[in-house]
């Protein structure tokens, strides 16, 4: 597995025993298997198991997850772009450096320009890779970060699970 890519099974193995017991959801994973969309959005209230479902599904069928988890207080475009570039490093080893250098030169970048730069740096998106944006709701409300993600997904061709 590429450095930086996360194996959902390995993540589950690191959890305490009480949190490792997962009730599988074959009906939901089958629906995800049948989806042909570039972008899949999992919507449910907090605590309903969206992240667990994502990990279960990604562990099946030879998928590789590139995981980005939004954090409270990091919804600005700079933090979002750096975090996503770091998560995508197995696909593009230069994206993180490119983002860092661009942000030094342009502290308040246009989201479209930054997203196109990252997409160009990435090149072709491998078909079995999925970019996972966990806790996306923490980015909602920051129009610049939302626009950055929107353009990045469109321009990169990345398969994305939110």
């Amino acid at each position: 597995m590429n450095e930086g890519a996360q194996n959902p099974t390995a993540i589950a193995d690191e959890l305490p025993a009480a949190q490792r017991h997962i009730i599988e959801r074959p009906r939901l994973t089958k629906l995800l298997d049948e989806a042909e969309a570039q972008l899949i959005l999992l919507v449910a209230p907090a605590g309903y198991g969206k992240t667990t479902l994502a990990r279960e599904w990604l562990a099946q069928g030879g998928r590789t997850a590139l995981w980005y988890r939004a954090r409270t207080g990091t919804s600005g475009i700079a933090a979002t772009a750096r975090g996503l570039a770091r998560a995508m490093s197995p696909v593009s080893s230069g994206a993180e450096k490119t983002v860092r250098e661009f942000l030094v030169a342009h502290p308040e970048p246009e989201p479209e320009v930054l997203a196109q730069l990252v997409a160009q740096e990435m090149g072709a998106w491998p078909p079995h890779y999925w970019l996972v944006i966990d806790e996306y709701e923490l980015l909602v409300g920051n129009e610049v970060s939302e626009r950055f993600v929107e353009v990045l997904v469109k321009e990169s061709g990345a398969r994305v699970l939110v």
Side-chain angles (χ1 to χ4, degrees):
M1 178 174 298
N2 292 333
E3 184 177 319
Q6 294 188 10
N7 179 334
T9 305
I11 293 168
D13 291 343
E14 296 172 9
L15 297 173
Q19 294 178 351
R20 272 187 267 159
H21 180 72
I22 296 173
I23 297 171
E24 293 184 1
R25 300 179 214 156
R27 183 182 65 80
L28 295 177
T29 56
K30 183 177 185 286
L31 287 172
L32 290 170
D33 283 338
E34 293 170 353
E36 295 180 12
Q38 175 189 2
L39 173 68
I40 298 175
L41 180 63
L42 299 178
V43 180
Y48 272 64
K50 297 176 296 293
T51 299
T52 302
L53 174 62
R55 287 181 175 155
E56 177 186 346
W57 179 66
L58 290 163
Q60 302 169 358
R63 295 176 190 92
T64 300
L66 304 178
W67 208 276
Y68 169 71
R69 174 170 279 159
R71 302 272 185 217
T72 303
T74 61
S75 66
I77 189 170
T80 301
R82 283 192 307 266
L84 283 167
R86 187 176 311 112
M88 294 183 294
S89 63
V91 175
S92 172
S93 59
E96 192 173 0
K97 180 181 178 194
T98 299
V99 167
R100 187 175 52 249
E101 291 172 353
F102 187 83
L103 290 171
V104 167
H106 306 89
E108 295 184 31
E110 292 295 321
E112 295 83 2
V113 173
L114 182 55
Q116 289 170 351
L117 179 72
V118 174
Q120 288 173 355
E121 181 70 36
M122 288 172 31
W125 189 262
H128 65 284
Y129 278 68
W130 282 83
L131 174 62
V132 180
I133 303 176
D134 198 6
E135 307 290 342
Y136 182 81
E137 65 273 11
L138 297 175
L139 302 179
V140 173
N142 183 317
E143 292 179 21
V144 176
S145 290
E146 287 184 75
R147 181 69 181 146
F148 169 77
V149 172
E150 177 185 345
V151 173
L152 179 63
V153 170
K154 180 182 175 187
E155 295 291 323
S156 69
R159 302 194 70 194
V160 182
L161 181 65
V162 177

